[in-house]
Amino acid sequence: MSTAEPLFRIVRGQVDAEELAALTAVLTALAQRAGAAAEPAAPRPAAARWFRLERNAGFLASHSWQTAS
């Protein structure tokens, strides 16, 4: 990432190493989160809407859990 302008600058005061490390950690975490959100999620396969008739017993009771689909 090479830009002509810096991403941020210190307007007032002096930054010590500890504050600079904390700022770097926060900016890195935000950049990773933004990068993860930008990647498209893989599409989930659709559920099969068919069933094999030879695997059924032939009769399903009206109160069976298999008739709920």
Side-chain angles (χ1 to χ4, degrees), residues 49-61:
R49 298 285 180 198
W50 54 271
F51 59 94
R52 296 179 65 173
L53 294 175
E54 66 269 13
R55 290 188 180 173
N56 285 345
F59 173 77
L60 294 176

Side-chain angles (χ1 to χ4, degrees), residues 3-67:
T3 60
E5 297 179 7
L7 294 177
F8 62 93
R9 65 185 179 121
I10 307 301
V11 178
R12 252 185 215 172
Q14 299 294 324
V15 179
D16 61 354
E18 197 171 295
E19 292 172 335
L20 186 60
L23 182 61
T24 303
V26 169
L27 291 176
T28 302
L30 288 174
Q32 285 180 349
R33 186 170 62 176
E39 295 174 4
R44 295 182 65 187
R49 298 285 180 198
W50 54 271
F51 59 94
R52 296 179 65 173
L53 294 175
E54 66 269 13
R55 290 188 180 173
N56 285 345
F59 173 77
L60 294 176
S62 61
H63 61 277
S64 173
W65 64 272
Q66 294 175 338
T67 58

